[in-house]
PDB file of all heavy atoms in Angstrom:
ATOM      1  N   GLU A 234     -12.716  -2.499  -6.519  1.00  0.00           N
ATOM      2  CA  GLU A 234     -12.515  -3.989  -6.199  1.00  0.00           C
ATOM      3  C   GLU A 234     -10.965  -4.103  -6.232  1.00  0.00           C
ATOM      4  O   GLU A 234     -10.387  -3.876  -7.457  1.00  0.00           O
ATOM      5  CB  GLU A 234     -13.166  -4.859  -7.192  1.00  0.00           C
ATOM      6  CG  GLU A 234     -14.627  -4.603  -7.166  1.00  0.00           C
ATOM      7  CD  GLU A 234     -15.378  -5.310  -8.423  1.00  0.00           C
ATOM      8  OE1 GLU A 234     -15.143  -6.500  -8.552  1.00  0.00           O
ATOM      9  OE2 GLU A 234     -15.967  -4.685  -9.230  1.00  0.00           O
ATOM     10  N   GLU A 312      -9.091 -10.980  -3.837  1.00  0.00           N
ATOM     11  CA  GLU A 312      -9.701  -9.757  -4.050  1.00  0.00           C
ATOM     12  C   GLU A 312     -10.503  -9.268  -2.774  1.00  0.00           C
ATOM     13  O   GLU A 312     -10.971 -10.189  -2.045  1.00  0.00           O
ATOM     14  CB  GLU A 312     -10.652  -9.882  -5.244  1.00  0.00           C
ATOM     15  CG  GLU A 312     -11.411  -8.594  -5.576  1.00  0.00           C
ATOM     16  CD  GLU A 312     -12.462  -8.630  -6.492  1.00  0.00           C
ATOM     17  OE1 GLU A 312     -12.203  -9.048  -7.693  1.00  0.00           O
ATOM     18  OE2 GLU A 312     -13.703  -8.393  -6.177  1.00  0.00           O
ATOM     19  N   HIS A 361     -11.151  -2.849 -10.435  1.00  0.00           N
ATOM     20  CA  HIS A 361     -12.360  -2.290 -11.165  1.00  0.00           C
ATOM     21  C   HIS A 361     -12.891  -1.142 -10.380  1.00  0.00           C
ATOM     22  O   HIS A 361     -13.024  -1.159  -9.126  1.00  0.00           O
ATOM     23  CB  HIS A 361     -13.510  -3.396 -11.137  1.00  0.00           C
ATOM     24  CG  HIS A 361     -13.080  -4.603 -11.969  1.00  0.00           C
ATOM     25  ND1 HIS A 361     -13.810  -5.704 -11.970  1.00  0.00           N
ATOM     26  CD2 HIS A 361     -11.956  -4.891 -12.632  1.00  0.00           C
ATOM     27  CE1 HIS A 361     -13.135  -6.692 -12.674  1.00  0.00           C
ATOM     28  NE2 HIS A 361     -12.074  -6.169 -13.177  1.00  0.00           N
ATOM     29  N   ASN A 363     -16.150   0.672  -9.931  1.00  0.00           N
ATOM     30  CA  ASN A 363     -17.568   0.899 -10.052  1.00  0.00           C
ATOM     31  C   ASN A 363     -18.064   2.274  -9.799  1.00  0.00           C
ATOM     32  O   ASN A 363     -17.770   2.829  -8.727  1.00  0.00           O
ATOM     33  CB  ASN A 363     -18.395  -0.061  -9.164  1.00  0.00           C
ATOM     34  CG  ASN A 363     -18.021  -1.565  -9.433  1.00  0.00           C
ATOM     35  OD1 ASN A 363     -18.659  -2.151 -10.346  1.00  0.00           O
ATOM     36  ND2 ASN A 363     -17.032  -2.061  -8.863  1.00  0.00           N
ATOM     37  N   ARG A 479     -17.728  -9.754 -19.255  1.00  0.00           N
ATOM     38  CA  ARG A 479     -16.371  -9.548 -18.449  1.00  0.00           C
ATOM     39  C   ARG A 479     -15.252  -9.131 -19.110  1.00  0.00           C
ATOM     40  O   ARG A 479     -14.161  -8.933 -18.598  1.00  0.00           O
ATOM     41  CB  ARG A 479     -16.151 -10.893 -17.736  1.00  0.00           C
ATOM     42  CG  ARG A 479     -17.365 -11.496 -16.942  1.00  0.00           C
ATOM     43  CD  ARG A 479     -17.082 -11.279 -15.401  1.00  0.00           C
ATOM     44  NE  ARG A 479     -18.303 -11.505 -14.586  1.00  0.00           N
ATOM     45  CZ  ARG A 479     -18.626 -10.847 -13.578  1.00  0.00           C
ATOM     46  NH1 ARG A 479     -17.932  -9.809 -13.216  1.00  0.00           N
ATOM     47  NH2 ARG A 479     -19.783 -11.079 -12.966  1.00  0.00           N
ATOM     48  N   GLU A 491     -18.817   0.018 -14.691  1.00  0.00           N
ATOM     49  CA  GLU A 491     -17.699  -0.616 -14.066  1.00  0.00           C
ATOM     50  C   GLU A 491     -16.456  -0.465 -15.035  1.00  0.00           C
ATOM     51  O   GLU A 491     -16.421  -0.971 -16.117  1.00  0.00           O
ATOM     52  CB  GLU A 491     -17.937  -2.139 -13.892  1.00  0.00           C
ATOM     53  CG  GLU A 491     -16.856  -2.849 -13.159  1.00  0.00           C
ATOM     54  CD  GLU A 491     -17.212  -4.238 -12.821  1.00  0.00           C
ATOM     55  OE1 GLU A 491     -18.452  -4.656 -12.924  1.00  0.00           O
ATOM     56  OE2 GLU A 491     -16.377  -4.986 -12.370  1.00  0.00           O
ATOM     57  N   ARG A 493     -13.194  -1.341 -15.907  1.00  0.00           N
ATOM     58  CA  ARG A 493     -12.333  -2.546 -15.537  1.00  0.00           C
ATOM     59  C   ARG A 493     -10.913  -2.337 -15.865  1.00  0.00           C
ATOM     60  O   ARG A 493     -10.125  -3.322 -15.487  1.00  0.00           O
ATOM     61  CB  ARG A 493     -12.946  -3.763 -16.220  1.00  0.00           C
ATOM     62  CG  ARG A 493     -14.407  -3.997 -15.845  1.00  0.00           C
ATOM     63  CD  ARG A 493     -14.560  -5.546 -15.935  1.00  0.00           C
ATOM     64  NE  ARG A 493     -16.012  -5.898 -15.701  1.00  0.00           N
ATOM     65  CZ  ARG A 493     -16.809  -6.010 -16.611  1.00  0.00           C
ATOM     66  NH1 ARG A 493     -16.627  -5.903 -17.849  1.00  0.00           N
ATOM     67  NH2 ARG A 493     -18.121  -6.351 -16.240  1.00  0.00           N
TER      68      ARG A 493
HETATM   69 MG1   MG B   2     -16.268  -6.484 -10.873  1.00  0.00          MG
END
Side-chain angles (χ1 to χ4, degrees):
E234 302 165 59
E312 180 188 296
H361 298 174
N363 296 274
R479 303 254 168 220
E491 186 169 350
R493 298 211 182 95

